[in-house]
Amino acid sequence: DVKVTQSSRYLVKRTGEKVFLECVQDMDHENMFWYRQDPGLGLRLIYFSYDVKMKEKGDIPEGYSVSREKKERFSLILESASTNQTSMYLCASRVGGGYTFGSGTRLTVV
Amino acid sequence: AQSVTQPDIHITVSEGASLELRCNYSYGATPYLFWYVQSPGQGLQLLLKYFSGDTLVQGIKGFEAEFKRSQSSFNLRKPSVHWSDAAEYFCAGSSSGGSYIPTFGRGTSLIVHP
């Protein structure tokens, strides 16, 4: 089975900090995605990547950037964390139909 | 706009009862459709998917879903619910051409009473 690993389950960061959320998949998938999940809003796509060094904006990219230097790793970067970025962040990878999701990182910005 | 709607925010059923979770879609052509389940504190797990062919799709954990073009629906069903099925369920859809990036519904929270 494909495994998608997010390095942190819980993070607490201060306003203004630069935050890195890491995601690694072990099945050589080309497509990787970052979502944020908020109650009542479902999943919203932040960024995705079709291949190494490629990135595309999703529906809510403002305040975020991404990095994909290696196929297996897709990092989400909060350049200057703000309290409205407190959320659950989910990484996913895909080949063919259907995503495989990581367990999520619950980020709190104080 | 292409979208997926889950009309029910919460559903409560008794253990052993049957279950149907509703999902409606709005796409021009036949979409790709998915159901995911999320247990508390976890990521999402794919239950089943529909791309084409037989409109009744079998998934994992005893779930099935039926694609009904005339009703623009893809409802998830289970004949007998277990307490461990309590979770958040998400329907998702994408167009059958292009990037295939799905749009997720807002989710339905399933509560199971003993």
Side-chain angles (χ1 to χ4, degrees):
Chain A
D1 283 349
V2 177
K3 191 165 185 181
V4 177
T5 302
Q6 295 183 234
S7 54
S8 303
R9 292 296 302 274
Y10 300 94
L11 277 178
V12 180
K13 297 293 182 179
R14 295 193 180 277
T15 301
E17 275 194 78
K18 190 169 186 176
V19 181
F20 293 85
L21 303 184
E22 306 289 345
C23 175
V24 176
Q25 50 96 0
D26 65 358
M27 284 299 290
D28 203 36
H29 287 177
E30 292 183 344
N31 301 339
M32 295 187 74
F33 306 81
W34 274 106
Y35 287 87
R36 65 176 283 175
Q37 181 181 16
D38 301 287
L41 297 179
L43 276 71
R44 293 181 290 168
L45 182 63
I46 306 171
Y47 267 96
F48 60 100
S49 169
Y50 285 132
D51 206 342
V52 176
K53 296 193 185 294
M54 293 181 66
K55 59 183 179 182
E56 299 284 343
K57 292 180 180 179
D59 299 319
I60 52 164
E62 295 77 19
Y64 304 94
S65 63
V66 290
S67 172
R68 189 139 183 230
E69 296 296 319
K70 294 184 178 181
K71 191 179 232 183
E72 67 269 20
R73 185 179 298 269
F74 190 37
S75 302
L76 180 69
I77 304 159
L78 287 66
E79 297 289 344
S80 178
S82 64
T83 54
N84 64 12
Q85 292 177 310
T86 291
S87 187
M88 169 74 97
Y89 290 87
L90 293 167
C91 175
S93 73
R94 180 185 73 183
V95 62
Y99 287 159
T100 298
F101 281 88
S103 296
T105 296
R106 184 165 295 281
L107 172 67
T108 302
V109 182
V110 299
Chain B
Q2 298 174 337
S3 67
V4 169
T5 303
Q6 294 179 248
D8 304 304
I9 298 174
H10 302 284
I11 290 281
T12 301
V13 299
S14 298
E15 191 169 15
S18 63
L19 170 70
E20 183 168 30
L21 301 182
R22 296 186 291 163
C23 174
N24 296 103
Y25 65 87
S26 174
Y27 288 86
T30 300
Y32 295 159
L33 295 164
F34 309 84
W35 274 101
Y36 290 86
V37 61
Q38 184 181 33
S39 298
Q42 300 296 316
L44 279 69
Q45 181 183 20
L46 180 66
L47 284 174
L48 48 80
K49 60 190 177 188
Y50 173 77
F51 285 177
S52 64
D54 192 348
T55 56
L56 185 62
V57 181
Q58 301 298 321
I60 63 170
K61 302 178 187 281
F63 286 92
E64 67 178 25
E66 187 170 13
F67 173 69
K68 292 186 177 179
R69 186 191 304 277
S70 61
Q71 299 177 19
S72 298
S73 70
F74 188 59
N75 295 348
L76 183 71
R77 302 193 297 243
K78 187 169 185 178
S80 179
V81 170
H82 188 263
W83 63 266
S84 60
D85 293 323
E88 190 88 13
Y89 291 80
F90 291 92
C91 182
S94 70
S95 59
S96 54
S99 65
Y100 313 110
I101 303 231
T103 299
F104 285 82
R106 295 190 175 190
T108 298
S109 179
L110 175 64
I111 301 164
V112 180
H113 281 313

